[in-house]
Amino acid sequence: QVQLVESGGGLVQAGGSLRLSCAASGSVARINAMAWYRQAPGKQRELVATVASGGSTNYADSVKGRFTISRDNAKNTVYLEMNSLKPEDTAVYYCKANIRPIYSSYYDFWGQGTQVTVSS
């Protein structure tokens, strides 16, 4: 019954900014780590950023200093603030959350993906 719904993707010019959101809904008991991945055409899906339940973060070298991952535990939502966007950031962005549904065990849930296109 748990779903992750992403929003905020779109088309932006190089140097611009976007903010992605991913909200968990349904029978959520607890959320552990949350993360953002991306997949560009012809490439493997790569980890972009993670945020632990306590708020500690990690970033891929390619986005460090430009992207910020954060979470609002009250809203069961993870965000990705993307600044100084580059054409190479163009990809489908997916959120992932390690969630324990009510009366169940922890499981990794994935969002449907949202397209981010950065034009030059």
Side-chain angles (χ1 to χ4, degrees), residues 62-82:
S62 59
V63 307
K64 193 170 297 182
R66 299 188 296 119
F67 291 10
T68 301
I69 188 171
S70 62
R71 63 192 290 165
D72 186 334
N73 291 329
K75 297 180 179 180
N76 288 337
T77 299
V78 62
Y79 305 94
L80 186 67
E81 183 73 35
M82 304 183 295

Side-chain angles (χ1 to χ4, degrees), residues 2-120:
V2 173
Q3 291 185 324
L4 295 179
V5 180
E6 302 174 7
S7 62
L11 175 64
V12 65
Q13 293 186 356
S17 299
L18 283 174
R19 184 189 181 196
L20 306 182
S21 299
C22 176
S25 62
S27 302
V28 176
R30 296 294 298 269
I31 302 179
N32 194 10
M34 307 182 82
W36 287 95
Y37 292 74
R38 67 185 182 187
Q39 188 167 21
K43 294 186 177 181
Q44 290 282 97
R45 185 173 298 187
E46 65 174 344
L47 179 63
V48 176
T50 62
V51 56
S53 60
S56 62
T57 59
N58 286 283
Y59 298 91
D61 289 341
S62 59
V63 307
K64 193 170 297 182
R66 299 188 296 119
F67 291 10
T68 301
I69 188 171
S70 62
R71 63 192 290 165
D72 186 334
N73 291 329
K75 297 180 179 180
N76 288 337
T77 299
V78 62
Y79 305 94
L80 186 67
E81 183 73 35
M82 304 183 295
N83 300 311
S84 301
L85 282 162
K86 305 174 181 179
E88 50 263 46
D89 295 319
T90 295
V92 177
Y93 284 71
Y94 300 89
C95 67
K96 186 183 78 173
N98 187 241
I99 298 173
R100 181 171 66 82
I102 296 174
Y103 305 124
S104 189
S105 301
Y106 277 102
Y107 184 83
D108 286 339
F109 292 85
W110 289 85
Q112 80 283 359
T114 184
Q115 177 71 47
V116 172
T117 302
V118 184
S119 65
S120 59

